[in-house]
Every structure is written in structure tokens, then in C-alpha cells.
DNA sequence: GACCAGGACCATT
DNA sequence: AATGGTCATGGT
């Protein structure tokens, strides 16, 4: 039995915050058909989660429209689907968020960060798309990362079956390692990625030619998986942590970018300034087994409330 | 026109 | 082990 829509019954899920929080870069907010946005209270997301707000994106070969409703998340696709596990997996709707939040350190900064966006979640993305995206992310603003990736998909991905009302820039799959490996550095630079182009190209070739196995990473212990990813040119500790967290589900991974650095400095060391290595060492032990979730809450809190 | 962006890397202290 | 310069490109 196949269908082009489904309702995922899930509570405590802020779809808008999750899709727009700098972990994935291809989701676009869309005009709702029929009704205007309303504020949602005590149901699907937090007090500020928007009801009726739609998002359009691509998961694998599926073009998907997601809408937050009082019952959960409503999904529509451009083609009939028989197995919706790809969507539950991507959205991580089975995760018991309350249980995760209980493991956070009981301090004032974490309480404030969680209160600022109680339904914020982590997605689980495709490893290659995630790795490639974060190779392109270094010293770029999120809006620019989105633009680079949109160009990349449009030029080198596969055109998906069209559906009316979907914006044209969502019609492409993310290019495979093989598709990127077949590009020249100049073609990639033309997507405005600058010095990141040779890094993306090298990673795509390593994978396409079988010298680097993304599936093997999944089976390694955290530290080994991290070291393995860092063998790729252009992948340092921060980008490795993003891929470990957003694609492989290593919940203890704690990416430290400029925003997190500022958040830690301001919230945990307000008196004297702490060096970057000092902040990293603090983070490595302070946030517990789901440190990655804590990191995402601090990141979102910093960018939306403390900027 | 500065200043900065979900950094990595290499050369110095 | 910790700092400093360099690498493209575009937003604010």
C-alpha cells in the first residue's frame, strides 16, 4: 500500500527550528496552502513552534513537504511511497527527547538554552551529503552555504520528478561522490566555493574510487571514526564532529565553531577570558553522553537570543 | 569599505 | 601545546 502523504504522530518537535538550525542546508520555508501560520501551544513543539508552517526539501530521491500540525508532522511527497522509514529516520521522530534533556548538566545556561527552544531536535542525514556540506561550510555564513549547495545540486545532481507548487531549486538530488568526482575544480569553483573546491573534489574521488569507505565509519568507535574522517583534506576536528553528530548519530560529538566558542565564553566563563583549547577541554567533559544535543541548543540559543 | 562567516593547515613560539 | 597568517567569496 503506497501513499503520497503520511502523518507522523510526534510531540515536542519544533520542525521550523530543527530544519533551520544550521545542521541541514536544503530546507526552504514555503507558503502554507489554505491557512496562515498560528502559534502552537502545548502540543507538537514548544510555545513558539509555528503551526501550519511548511518546509520543502529533498531526502535522497524524495522531494518532501513537511508541515507542523497539532497532531505531529504531516508529510507529502512528489511520488508514492511504500516505506516511510527513510523519513522517520531522517527526522529522528522515535527519539525520546525528554530523556535526552534529562542528561544535560543542571546549570543556568543549559536551562535557558532549552527554555528558548524546547522542541529543537537533531536530524540524521546521509553521510556523504553531510560531509560534503560541511567541507563547504568552513568560514562561510549559513546563508552562503545554502547558496553554494543549491548551485551544486542544480548543476550536478539529478533532476527529480516535478510537482506543481514546489520551488524549482528543490528539484535536484544531492550529487553523488561519483558525480562530483567527474567535475573539474573550475566547475566546482564556479559554484562559489573558493578554496574549498579542491577539498570537496579530493573527498569525492577518495570515496568514488573506493579508497575511503563512509559505511565503515559507522561501525568504528567514536575516537577512531573521528580520526578517520580527519584524514580527509579540509576535514579538521570541527567538521568531523559535525558529520559524526549529524550523520552517524555519535551523540557525544560536540562541534565547536565560533558561535559555540562565544556561547561557552559568555555563559560559562563570563569573568576571565578562556583560550580556545581551554573551552574545548571544558566542553569535552561537561555536557554528558548527549553533548551533541546540548551543543545544538547552545548554538540555537546563541544565534537567536544572545546575538 | 571594513568586518566576519558552523575552519583547516602550516609555520612559528 | 598554543598562537598567527593564509586561503575565496559574499552578507551585513
Amino acid at each position: 500500500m503506497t501513499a503520497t502523504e503520511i502523518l507522523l504522530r510526534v510531540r515536542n518537535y519544533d520542525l521550523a527550528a530543527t530544519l533551520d538550525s544550521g545542521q541541514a542546508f536544503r530546507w526552504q520555508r514555503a507558503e502554507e496552502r489554505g491557512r496562515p501560520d498560528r502559534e502552537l501551544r502545548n502540543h507538537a513543539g514548544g510555545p513558539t513552534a509555528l503551526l501550519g508552517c511548511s518546509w520543502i526539501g529533498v531526502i535522497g530521491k524524495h522531494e518532501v513537504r513537511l508541515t507542523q500540525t497539532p497532531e505531529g508532522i504531516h508529510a507529502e511527497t512528489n511520488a508514492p511511497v511504500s516505506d516511510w522509514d527513510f523519513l522517520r529516520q531522517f527526522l529522528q521522530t522515535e527519539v525520546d527527547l525528554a530523556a535526552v534533556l534529562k542528561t544535560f548538566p543542571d546549570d543556568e545556561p543549559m536551562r535557558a538554552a532549552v527554555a528558548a527552544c524546547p522542541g529543537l531536535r537533531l536530524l540524521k542525514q546521509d553521510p556523504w551529503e553531510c560531509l560534503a556540506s560541511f567541507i563547504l561550510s568552513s568560514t562561510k555564513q549559513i546563508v552562503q552555504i545554502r547558496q553554494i549547495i543549491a548551485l551544486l545540486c542544480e548543476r550536478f545532481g539529478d533532476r527529480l520528478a516535478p510537482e506543481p507548487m514546489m520551488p524549482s531549486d528543490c528539484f535536484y538530488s544531492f550529487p553523488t561522490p561519483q558525480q562530483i568526482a567527474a567535475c573539474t575544480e573550475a566547475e566546482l569553483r564556479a559554484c562559489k566555493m573558493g578554496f574549498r573546491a579542491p577539498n570537496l573534489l579530493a573527498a569525492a574521488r577518495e570515496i568514488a574510487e573506493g579508497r575511503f569507505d563512509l559505511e565503515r565509519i559507522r561501525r568504528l568507535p567514536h575516537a577512531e571514526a573521528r580520526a578517520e574522517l580527519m584524514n580527509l583534506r579540509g576535514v579538521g576536528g570541527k567538521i568531523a564532529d559535525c558529520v559524526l553528530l549529524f550523520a552517524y548519530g555519535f551523540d557525544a560529538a560536540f562541534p565547536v565553531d565560533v558561535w559555540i566558542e562565544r556561547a561557552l565564553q559568555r555563559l560559562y566563563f563570563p569573568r576571565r577570558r578562556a583560550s580556545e583549547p581551554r573551552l574545548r577541554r571544558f566542553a569535552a567533559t561537561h555536557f554528558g553522553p548527549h553533548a551533541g544535543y546540548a551543543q545544538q541548543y547552545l548554538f540555537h540559543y546563541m544565534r537567536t537570543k544572545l546575538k
Side-chain angles (χ1 to χ4, degrees), chain A residues 222-293:
Chain A
H222 183 168
E224 291 177 36
R226 187 172 194 264
E228 190 64 25
L229 285 169
M230 288 176 68
N231 284 331
L232 295 167
R233 177 127 195 127
V235 179
K238 190 269 173 181
I239 291 177
D241 287 339
C242 286
V243 178
L244 291 172
L245 182 62
F246 301 142
Y248 292 108
F250 285 96
D251 275 13
F254 192 98
V256 178
D257 71 331
V258 293
W259 290 98
I260 289 295
E261 213 178 298
R262 284 203 284 262
L264 294 177
Q265 174 71 61
R266 193 155 150 190
L267 298 173
Y268 289 97
F269 302 89
R271 296 279 137 224
R272 52 188 173 69
R273 98 158 220 90
S275 72
E276 178 190 326
R278 176 77 190 87
L279 292 174
R280 285 177 193 283
R281 285 197 301 275
F282 169 75
T285 57
H286 186 256
F287 293 100
H290 301 285
Y293 274 85

Side-chain angles (χ1 to χ4, degrees), chain A residues 34-183:
Chain A
R35 58 196 174 196
D37 292 347
R38 289 169 283 152
E39 263 209 358
L40 173 65
R41 300 184 189 283
N42 305 325
H43 290 294
T48 60
L50 289 177
L51 246 192
C53 172
S54 275
W55 294 80
I56 297 171
V58 175
I59 306 172
K61 296 286 187 188
H62 301 281
E63 199 173 322
V64 184
R65 174 190 281 259
L66 300 173
T67 307
Q68 183 125 44
T69 76
E71 297 80 31
I73 296 172
H74 180 250
E76 304 162 78
T77 57
N78 62 331
V81 171
S82 57
D83 184 355
W84 292 92
D85 271 355
F86 79 94
L87 184 59
R88 293 191 189 87
Q89 173 78 357
F90 178 79
L91 292 173
Q92 293 283 283
T93 49
E94 317 285 305
V95 167
D96 181 351
L97 186 60
V100 170
L101 300 184
K102 276 184 201 161
T103 68
F104 287 179
D106 185 21
D107 57 33
E108 187 48 38
M110 277 318 302
R111 278 194 292 272
V114 171
C117 191
L120 180 63
R121 301 272 186 145
L122 288 180
L123 302 167
K124 185 174 279 191
Q125 304 177 56
D126 172 71
W128 163 244
E129 176 167 345
C130 187
L131 172 64
S133 298
F134 280 96
I135 285 176
L136 299 176
S137 75
S138 79
T139 45
K140 278 289 182 191
Q141 297 181 147
I142 290 175
V143 281
Q144 294 176 28
I145 301 169
R146 286 203 190 97
Q147 186 190 3
I148 294 169
I149 292 174
L151 282 172
L152 195 68
C153 294
E154 190 175 314
R155 293 181 183 178
F156 306 114
D158 294 327
R159 188 95 161 73
L160 300 178
E163 182 195 330
M165 303 189 67
M166 299 274 187
S168 61
D169 51 355
C170 282
F171 276 24
Y172 300 85
S173 63
F174 194 89
T176 63
Q178 290 74 17
Q179 286 173 315
I180 297 294
C183 295

Side-chain angles (χ1 to χ4, degrees), chain A residues 9-37:
Chain A
R9 297 189 179 278
V10 57
R11 295 184 310 155
N12 204 16
Y13 202 123
D14 189 330
L15 188 64
T18 300
L19 295 178
D20 198 28
S21 63
Q23 40 180 328
F25 302 100
R26 300 193 66 200
W27 290 88
Q28 288 194 346
R29 192 166 166 173
E31 292 308 314
E32 167 59 4
R33 349 190 210 225
R35 58 196 174 196
D37 292 347

Side-chain angles (χ1 to χ4, degrees), chain A residues 286-304:
Chain A
H286 186 256
F287 293 100
H290 301 285
Y293 274 85
Q295 176 273 157
Q296 200 62 15
Y297 278 87
L298 289 172
F299 182 75
H300 189 272
Y301 181 46
M302 188 69 195
R303 284 172 44 85
T304 59

